[in-house]
Amino acid sequence: MQTEYIKVSADDLERDFSILLRAGEIIRNGGLVVFPTETVYGLGGNALDASAAEKIYAAKGRPADNPLIVHINEPQEAEPFAMTTPLYHRIAEAFMPGPITVILSAKENLSRNVTAGLNTVAVRCPSHPVARALIRIAGVPIAAPSANLSGSPSPTDALHVKDDMDGRVHMIIDGGACSCGVESTIVKPEADGTLLLLRPGFITKEMLEETLGVSVTVAPSVLGQLKEGERVLSPGMKYRHYAPKAPLILLDGSAKERQYFLAEQKGRVAYLCYEEEKKALAPLSVALYVIGREGDKEKQAQSLFRVLRDVDKEGYDTIFAPLPDTEGVGMALYNRMIRAAAHHIQHLS
Ligand code: TXA
Ligand code: MG
């Protein structure tokens, strides 16, 4: 399949209207269009067309047991295919459109190809103007996983999409770099009125609790299953996700401890470093990839997947990175990084 590449500027959608009309038509006719969102690029198909979902799984090389998120423009557009609840509407009021996904009971009419056989459906209203325009123009809800090949980091730039999806989709809409850089926060309303946090993102546990006044439980899989006193977990490949080809190891220690540790490393080594560490580490024979200032977790989240793709191109023996804490957006970073590292943490003290 020949993939068509189109640049669209979020500031001038009027000018690009005819392109979006064509993209909308591709979606309505059962084709696949990659589009930018505020989190990561999405690989979109008509959520009301069971065969479009099959095409999405095939293009990603994704096992068909991993359900898709349905993207809509306004929270009430979930009504035809999902059971909305008062808590859903409160979440929507506070955070939609924006980087949050809510799990709801699916209605009968929604294809179980989209939900991977589950009776629940993931619903999201993205805030990116290009995503919003595309959904509106397509006139149907858009099922879209992240537009990467299964297992590799989510694409935050159209160039990443090209690396993974060239020849696999009908159109790629280039809308520039994604502002969040990590996928949406996923929450599941529970029967007791609390929320289960299934995937952390830019909408943090703290924000959900403060704004909604509900208690939020973090699903155990989010932070891994490190047991008390356990040093390094090395589970099988099934835990590797977003993973670069070289092993990634997370360093748990102070900046000084990381510096001493890195000074002892042999071979071709890369380190994802904080801006503040750059000067002290420059004399070492370690390739440095800055992910942002230590306190600026939003910036680190925005850089992470891009940097993982960059280091991957260079063929290092080992990649190291500081282990983030789990406060605020730190939880999203921690969650993605322990997966990229297959839970490999080196304790330095
Ligand atoms: O930011 C995002 O959410 C991006 C952009 C494109 O919107 N999309 C995205 O999709 O990250 P994907 O398919 O890469 O991740 C969707 C996640 C998967 O972990 C999937 O298991 C989960 O959502 N999910 C989908 N439906 C679910 C459901 N009914 N119950 C529980 N988890 C669900
Ligand atoms: Mg994904």
Side-chain angles (χ1 to χ4, degrees):
M1 166 188 322
Q2 178 89 20
T3 301
E4 190 181 347
Y5 288 86
I6 305 276
K7 259 196 171 41
V8 167
S9 160
D11 313 323
D12 196 0
L13 287 179
E14 294 289 317
R15 194 196 56 204
D16 297 320
F17 194 70
S18 63
I19 295 169
L20 291 171
L21 278 180
R22 206 143 43 78
E25 201 176 304
I26 293 173
I27 299 256
R28 267 196 313 281
N29 292 337
L32 304 182
V33 175
V34 174
F35 61 98
T37 84
E38 71 280 19
T39 56
V40 301
Y41 276 76
L43 167 54
N46 183 352
L48 306 182
D49 176 348
S51 71
E54 276 168 24
K55 289 181 203 159
I56 291 174
Y57 288 115
K60 264 185 84 79
R62 177 179 198 156
D65 63 357
N66 198 351
L68 306 176
I69 295 177
V70 179
H71 296 67
I72 52 180
N73 233 332
E74 301 297 336
Q76 65 272 20
E77 289 169 18
E79 218 67 62
F81 60 87
M83 314 277 218
T84 64
T85 62
L87 181 54
Y88 167 75
H89 288 292
R90 280 172 56 212
I91 296 170
E93 181 75 22
F95 300 111
M96 290 182 189
I100 190 156
T101 296
V102 184
I103 309 294
L104 297 173
S105 292
K107 290 189 175 162
E108 293 279 328
N109 58 344
L110 184 70
S111 162
R112 287 333 190 230
N113 282 1
V114 170
T115 68
L118 297 177
N119 290 328
T120 53
V121 56
V123 175
R124 154 156 154 75
C125 292
S127 62
H128 194 292
V130 174
R132 293 180 65 73
L134 179 64
I135 299 164
R136 197 177 61 245
I137 290 169
V140 290
I142 297 182
S146 50
N148 52 290
L149 288 174
S150 188
S152 68
S154 296
T156 57
D157 196 288
L159 278 177
H160 307 163
V161 177
K162 184 165 193 270
D163 286 343
D164 283 17
M165 288 296 153
D166 189 43
R168 293 172 171 261
V169 296
H170 297 93
M171 185 188 268
I172 294 176
I173 303 177
D174 178 351
C178 301
S179 59
C180 300
V182 289
E183 309 87 342
S184 60
T185 303
I186 303 181
V187 290
K188 184 169 190 233
E190 298 283 62
D192 62 2
T194 65
L195 285 177
L196 183 63
L197 181 67
L198 296 176
R199 182 174 71 182
F202 259 55
I203 310 277
T204 63
K205 174 179 192 285
E206 294 86 344
M207 287 161 72
L208 289 161
E209 286 179 329
E210 275 160 32
T211 310
L212 303 169
V214 299
S215 127
V216 178
T217 308
V218 179
S221 60
V222 166
L223 300 177
Q225 299 90 0
L226 260 190
K227 292 193 200 82
E228 194 61 32
E230 198 164 338
R231 299 239 119 191
V232 175
L233 261 188
S234 46
M237 292 294 286
K238 69 176 174 167
Y239 294 111
R240 255 170 92 85
H241 189 24
Y242 312 114
K245 291 183 199 90
L248 170 68
I249 299 171
L250 304 179
L251 303 181
D252 179 16
S254 66
K256 263 273 165 286
E257 286 164 339
R258 294 196 296 267
Q259 185 184 344
Y260 289 141
F261 177 85
L262 289 168
E264 287 168 4
Q265 300 309 306
K266 307 271 183 299
R268 294 198 67 223
V269 172
Y271 177 58
L272 313 193
C273 74
Y274 297 132
E275 185 71 50
E276 295 90 331
E277 295 178 291
K278 212 171 125 186
K279 214 162 144 198
L281 298 178
L284 305 184
S285 61
V286 170
L288 301 178
Y289 289 79
V290 175
I291 55 170
R293 298 190 71 80
E294 182 161 11
D296 190 351
K297 290 170 178 168
E298 283 80 7
K299 173 72 190 166
Q300 292 167 38
Q302 192 188 42
S303 320
L304 180 66
F305 290 154
R306 177 179 49 74
V307 170
L308 285 177
R309 281 180 182 256
D310 286 348
V311 287
D312 224 10
K313 294 204 171 105
E314 303 300 326
Y316 294 105
D317 299 328
T318 319
I319 304 162
F320 295 100
L323 178 72
D325 67 49
T326 59
E327 300 270 305
V329 174
M331 195 186 284
L333 276 165
Y334 184 99
N335 171 264
R336 305 317 189 272
M337 289 175 85
I338 55 169
R339 273 167 185 70
H343 295 262
H344 197 154
I345 298 171
Q346 177 85 38
H347 298 273
L348 303 179
S349 47

